[in-house]
Amino acid sequence: MKNNCNSSSPRKTEKQDEYHVVHKLPSGDSPYVRAKYVQLVEKDNEAAIVLFWKAINARDRVDSALKDMAVVMKQQDRAEEAIEAIKSFRDLCSKQAQESLDNVLIDLYKKCGKLEEQIELLRQKLRMIYQGEAFNGKATKTARSHGRKFQVTIKKETSRILGNLAWAYMQQTNYAAAEAVYHKAQQIDPDANKACNLCLCFLKQQRYVEAKFVLEEVLQGKLPGSDDPKSRNRAEELLKKLEPHKSVSSASPPLHPTLEDAFVAELDWLINQWTPVRSKRLPIFEEIISYRNQLAC
């Protein structure tokens, strides 16, 4: 009888382990584990939020509990509450968790239409990259999307943040600022999605020649991601918007846009924030500064 009990115990543990793997649950029976069970298995988001709060108060995996709770709150249209939760409790989280929390905050600001806060946080992330503080000082980081892990480089992250910053400027109808930032993002790591956004930026300014020039690079497959169906469809939609203006002269666009003085001054301010730590400056920021100087001329 004793042997039977001993032999069944490993099988029970093995089944429990398989259960956690299948449902992508952490092991154990802590408040955080119970919150994840309710979120992923029972799919009761409101109950999960209550349990995530309990996990935070019990200091149980606070890094994950706070981030996961904020994501679930966003799904429940409680984005404002999620913002306050992160601001109030992020000091309980590790230094390694701060970047992830910033990324969640940016999404929450976007959902709430808080453009100024979104822009400020994106600028802050750029300063962190410049100062060598992003990715906890490493050249790459492991990211996850749809259950798959992949490596992200500083170069791609810089371009992604610039793309998000430019889009935020677009929402503010600050098209001159958006244009300049999109140009820099494309210099660093060009892709079809940002090219389509830049094309839209030119359309908003009624600069149809530049818009067509950028769009043709996507339609001719010259940019990474040009063969992506979503980017392709978007490019074709933008081309239809350009049709009424096809009689406009096809002269080559200027290499750099003319910027308003206020935005050039803003770029100067950003660069000045980085200059005290030149020794940590990454090569990509040398390119950005060089581009800024050309714009200022």
Side-chain angles (χ1 to χ4, degrees), residues 95 99 124-141 154 157-158 161 282 285:
K95 182 179 178 182
E99 279 190 63
Q124 179 181 314
K125 289 179 75 67
L126 287 170
R127 289 195 292 271
M128 286 180 64
I129 291 174
Y130 172 80
Q131 293 166 350
E133 297 173 2
F135 294 9
N136 297 307
K138 298 177 182 178
T140 62
K141 74 171 180 179
I154 284 286
E157 180 70 354
T158 304
I161 293 171
L282 300 173
F285 278 94

Side-chain angles (χ1 to χ4, degrees), residues 70 73 78-89 104-112 114 117:
M73 282 180 168
R78 294 168 62 179
E80 294 272 6
E81 191 178 342
I83 290 170
E84 291 307 312
I86 291 177
K87 288 181 176 180
S88 299
F89 292 94
V104 175
L105 264 181
I106 288 169
D107 285 341
L108 291 168
Y109 286 147
K110 187 184 296 186
K111 184 174 179 64
C112 294
K114 294 179 178 289
E117 291 88 343

Side-chain angles (χ1 to χ4, degrees), residues 62-196:
V62 182
D63 289 4
S64 298
L66 182 57
K67 185 180 76 169
D68 290 349
M69 183 179 72
V71 171
V72 174
M73 282 180 168
K74 178 187 172 187
Q75 294 170 352
Q76 297 298 106
D77 291 324
R78 294 168 62 179
E80 294 272 6
E81 191 178 342
I83 290 170
E84 291 307 312
I86 291 177
K87 288 181 176 180
S88 299
F89 292 94
R90 68 181 306 165
D91 60 325
L92 298 178
C93 299
S94 66
K95 182 179 178 182
Q96 291 74 20
Q98 299 304 316
E99 279 190 63
S100 293
L101 291 173
D102 282 343
N103 290 334
V104 175
L105 264 181
I106 288 169
D107 285 341
L108 291 168
Y109 286 147
K110 187 184 296 186
K111 184 174 179 64
C112 294
K114 294 179 178 289
L115 291 173
E116 289 295 341
E117 291 88 343
Q118 184 185 346
I119 287 169
E120 177 55 33
L121 190 48
L122 289 166
R123 288 176 179 169
Q124 179 181 314
K125 289 179 75 67
L126 287 170
R127 289 195 292 271
M128 286 180 64
I129 291 174
Y130 172 80
Q131 293 166 350
E133 297 173 2
F135 294 9
N136 297 307
K138 298 177 182 178
T140 62
K141 74 171 180 179
T142 302
R144 187 188 296 271
S145 177
H146 304 294
R148 297 179 61 185
K149 291 183 179 180
F150 57 96
Q151 292 295 307
V152 178
T153 64
I154 284 286
K155 180 179 179 180
K156 282 192 172 293
E157 180 70 354
T158 304
S159 181
R160 184 188 71 82
I161 293 171
L162 286 169
N164 288 339
L165 178 60
W167 186 252
Y169 280 132
M170 286 278 286
Q171 305 314 298
Q172 285 188 326
T173 67
N174 189 348
Y175 301 123
E179 177 190 343
V181 177
Y182 273 132
H183 272 298
K184 289 193 290 185
Q186 289 295 77
Q187 280 190 328
I188 295 168
D189 188 44
D191 65 46
N193 181 56
K194 290 195 294 289
C196 286

Side-chain angles (χ1 to χ4, degrees), residues 219-267:
L219 295 171
Q220 293 172 13
K222 294 181 179 180
L223 296 173
S226 295
D227 56 348
D228 178 72
K230 187 176 179 180
S231 294
R232 194 82 186 174
N233 291 338
R234 189 167 179 224
E236 289 172 357
E237 288 174 6
L238 288 167
L239 186 63
K240 290 178 183 177
K241 292 183 179 181
L242 277 170
E243 282 297 317
H245 313 285
K246 61 184 178 181
S247 60
V248 177
S249 172
S250 59
S252 297
L255 188 59
H256 303 297
T258 301
L259 296 180
E260 57 191 29
D261 292 342
F263 186 62
V264 172
E266 187 174 76
L267 283 177

